[in-house]
Amino acid sequence: MNFTRWSARLPGTQRRAAARTEDSPTALPSEGSVPAARAERLSDAALLPVVDELPVREVLDRIPALVALVQGPDHRLAYVNDAYVAAFGVRPAGEPARVALPELAEIGLLPLLDQVLRSSKPRTVKSRKAPGGRSYTFTCTPVEVSATPEGSGVLIFAADVTDHAEAAERLRASERQHRETAVTLQRSLLPQELEEPDDLRVAATYHPGGTEAAVGGDWYDVITLGGGRTALVIGDVMGRGVRAAAVMGQLRTAVRAYARLDLPPHEVLQLLDGLAMEIDANQIATCAYAVHDPNEGRLVYASAGHLPILVRDESGTVLRADEPTGPPLGTGGWMHASGSIPLGPGSTAVLYTDGLVERRDADLDEGIASLERALAGATGTPQVVCDRLVRSAGVTADHDDDVAVLVLQHPARTGPDSELFRNAALELLGGVEAAPRARAFASGVLTSWRFPADLHDLGVLAASELVANSLQHGTPPMRLRLRRTDRRLIVEVTDGDDHLPRRRRAEPADESGRGIAIVATIASNWGSRRTPGGGKAVWCEFALPRTT
């Protein structure tokens, strides 16, 4: 579209054209005349004064920014404008800047004047707070003043940026508060105190990443399953911020609920996978779930896209639990599988998130290999090992990713301590003689362990009822296992039938159905689970009296 053609129709253009016609001594001819818009531009340009003819002193006095001119190596004050005087008061001309301009000395600007004078290049410092509380951005520009003996100087131009500085500070304060809230939420969702299994020593640490408000979704947990078994969990929700922390909290709660079912690790991850899709279809998470049974001396685990568990044995050799590993939680359509790795007495295992080993300038495998080397030389308590691994990985307060580390040790007990941890087992073939054999075996073992009479009787009764239940409802092979720790007595019976018992209320006329009810009444805790090779295990435990 030709805007020149249409400009004459605009009201403003018509008024300006009429004014030029009135001011012009002669009228322009109608034919071959300059279009109205072009004539307007030429006329306006002719009315503008030449820049070189502007009175500089008058311009500097009127601008709202602060202006000062200093000359010579001592930066003697030659000029300040009215805005500068209004901000800091009258300044004596001819005095060095350190005397005449103390506000510049207070904010550390005088060395910059020397630098500008020597290099003949302008320099800028942003948002410096001056006396009086206002913030300014200072630009120092070298100038040549030929009319003065010094011949050179520095023009100081200060723009008031107080509003911007205060807005930036409010934003930073808001970000700090947001981060504190997110970190508080994150830490509140993590276990405040780790559970303490009888046979393991555990420690964990969590380091939020960076200084921004977006914390991650790393988590860990230790869950005592009963019967001497312990579940260990570590996970990482992808993404950052409060949303990731909230999803993490839901997954951690779900893990604890599923763990109470005493399912194999891969079945727990299978349930978590479906739940993660229901919580947020766009959010995925990695997770490793492991179960330690002191009777087996192994760590049975399943991994959903998580980094491999590392185990250092008693000789110092580090093993990596690489397989099997499935996709992260929330992806669906995958059947997870369980694996195992030895964890005997004297061994140390480490579960960790990617923030400990992943670096932008290095391959992930290199980070894991570096952690293996650090674990091979890390000795001491689980907390000491935890701290050493974090230090060896170079994790600091400004680390750019969250880090969670869970360390567990299976101590090799010797001397008097070993007397507090005992095992005894009896194979039962079935038949009418199985129950009397089980009672006699339990009585002899508990007597040799020097238990008090009341605990001895309760243990024998529990063993008798569990064996009787297995004889009636289970199938061979059957085994009675007694285990003591420094805190509890555990009675466990296994058989070849995978039907789990449940506690029910027996009617007065019923001839059976009271065994599990009796066990649940006399024991501190009881439970059952399916065993990996088929069959089930039913257990109960009694808390030992505390020694003073």
Side-chain angles (χ1 to χ4, degrees):
M1 179 181 289
N2 188 346
F3 288 99
T4 303
R5 177 183 175 187
W6 289 95
S7 62
R9 299 185 182 184
L10 301 177
T13 302
Q14 294 172 356
R15 289 195 297 271
R16 287 192 292 271
R20 286 196 299 274
T21 303
E22 294 175 359
D23 295 340
S24 176
T26 59
L28 292 175
S30 59
E31 295 183 1
S33 62
V34 177
R38 187 181 303 171
E40 178 185 353
R41 289 197 298 272
L42 293 175
S43 178
D44 291 346
L47 295 176
L48 290 174
V50 179
V51 174
D52 292 341
E53 298 177 0
L54 290 175
V56 177
R57 174 63 180 266
E58 182 178 351
V59 172
L60 293 179
D61 280 342
R62 292 185 178 184
I63 63 175
L66 280 58
V67 179
L69 177 65
V70 295
Q71 294 177 322
D74 292 338
H75 309 301
R76 296 185 178 275
L77 181 61
Y79 166 78
V80 291
N81 69 346
D82 294 343
Y84 200 106
V85 173
F88 299 114
V90 178
R91 292 294 181 258
E95 294 291 338
R98 65 178 178 274
V99 177
L101 305 173
E103 58 279 354
L104 300 187
E106 185 172 336
I107 62 176
L109 204 63
L110 297 186
L112 187 66
L113 300 181
D114 295 330
Q115 183 180 357
V116 170
L117 199 61
R118 287 194 305 267
S119 64
S120 299
K121 294 181 179 180
R123 295 288 187 272
T124 299
V125 293
K126 296 181 178 180
S127 190
R128 293 288 181 89
K129 182 170 289 189
R134 308 293 293 180
S135 296
Y136 299 90
T137 291
F138 292 88
T139 299
C140 301
T141 306
V143 294
E144 294 292 332
V145 188
S146 57
T148 60
E150 290 82 356
S152 61
V154 178
L155 182 68
I156 303 168
F157 185 92
D160 192 333
V161 293
T162 303
D163 293 340
H164 296 284
E166 291 178 350
E169 179 58 32
R170 288 194 297 269
L171 179 60
R172 286 191 294 269
S174 176
E175 290 177 347
R176 287 194 298 269
Q177 184 178 7
H178 186 196
R179 173 175 170 74
E180 291 173 0
T181 301
V183 171
T184 300
L185 172 62
Q186 171 86 338
R187 292 191 181 278
S188 67
L189 295 175
L190 293 174
Q192 303 304 303
E193 292 185 4
L194 292 177
E195 296 185 18
E196 298 181 0
D198 294 359
D199 294 273
L200 297 177
R201 299 293 177 264
V202 295
T205 185
Y206 169 74
H207 293 268
T211 56
E212 72 273 10
V215 299
D218 295 16
W219 94 91
Y220 55 84
D221 209 347
V222 177
I223 309 166
T224 53
L225 301 177
R229 303 168 75 247
T230 305
L232 305 119
V233 194
I234 195 161
D236 184 3
V237 177
M238 300 303 171
R240 301 177 68 81
V242 175
R243 178 58 183 167
V247 172
M248 176 271 288
Q250 295 178 76
L251 290 178
R252 176 177 171 256
T253 302
V255 169
R256 295 192 70 87
Y258 294 147
R260 300 305 178 192
L261 300 176
D262 215 342
L263 299 172
H266 65 276
E267 293 189 21
V268 172
L269 292 190
Q270 209 70 49
L271 293 173
L272 280 178
D273 185 35
L275 180 65
M277 297 180 65
E278 295 178 7
I279 293 174
D280 190 339
N282 299 319
Q283 198 90 44
I284 62 175
T286 64
C287 180
Y289 181 88
V291 175
H292 175 258
D293 190 334
N295 296 314
E296 300 175 358
R298 302 185 68 82
L299 195 65
V300 181
Y301 66 90
S303 175
H306 204 77
L307 298 174
I309 300 172
L310 302 181
V311 176
R312 187 192 66 203
D313 61 19
E314 193 172 12
S315 65
T317 303
V318 177
L319 304 176
R320 183 188 298 192
D322 283 326
E323 298 293 342
T325 299
L329 303 176
T331 55
W334 182 267
M335 293 300 294
H336 292 275
S338 294
S340 66
I341 188 170
L343 187 71
S347 299
T348 300
V350 178
L351 293 79
Y352 52 96
T353 57
D354 57 359
L356 186 67
V357 295
E358 190 174 29
R359 300 294 181 270
R360 296 178 181 176
D361 56 349
D363 186 74
L364 180 60
D365 286 335
E366 295 179 5
I368 298 176
S370 177
L371 181 62
E372 288 179 350
R373 292 190 294 270
L375 177 59
T379 58
T381 65
Q383 189 61 58
V384 170
V385 174
C386 211
D387 296 339
R388 288 182 178 178
L389 295 181
V390 170
R391 286 197 302 270
S392 69
V395 177
T396 58
D398 57 350
H399 192 63
D400 61 355
D401 195 7
D402 290 19
V403 174
V405 183
L406 179 62
V407 175
L408 59 135
Q409 290 180 346
H410 188 185
R413 297 180 173 87
T414 58
D417 192 34
S418 64
E419 297 295 323
L420 300 177
F421 292 82
R422 294 290 192 88
N423 281 282
L426 174 66
E427 299 291 340
L428 298 171
L429 301 178
V432 295
E433 76 282 357
R437 285 187 60 207
R439 285 193 294 271
F441 174 78
S443 178
V445 169
L446 298 182
T447 300
S448 66
W449 288 350
R450 299 179 181 178
F451 280 152
D454 56 343
L455 185 57
H456 170 279
D457 295 342
L458 291 176
V460 172
L461 176 59
S464 177
E465 292 296 337
L466 292 181
V467 168
N469 184 79
S470 180
L471 290 171
Q472 183 173 359
H473 302 288
T475 58
M478 291 178 284
R479 172 185 289 183
L480 168 64
R481 175 181 288 151
L482 303 176
R483 176 173 174 78
R484 72 155 296 168
T485 70
D486 59 343
R487 286 178 259 178
R488 70 197 79 231
L489 165 66
I490 302 169
V491 181
E492 181 180 81
V493 175
T494 60
D495 63 56
D497 185 84
D498 62 0
H499 179 73
L500 299 181
R502 59 186 179 87
R503 184 180 180 180
R504 64 187 181 90
R505 182 183 180 89
E507 297 298 331
D510 293 342
E511 297 182 358
S512 63
R514 296 180 176 83
I516 295 299
I518 292 173
V519 170
T521 302
I522 64 176
S524 305
N525 194 14
W526 81 280
S528 62
R529 70 180 187 279
R530 292 185 173 90
T531 53
K536 66 176 178 296
V538 185
W539 55 268
C540 67
E541 56 187 32
F542 299 86
L544 300 185
R546 293 183 178 272
T547 59
T548 57

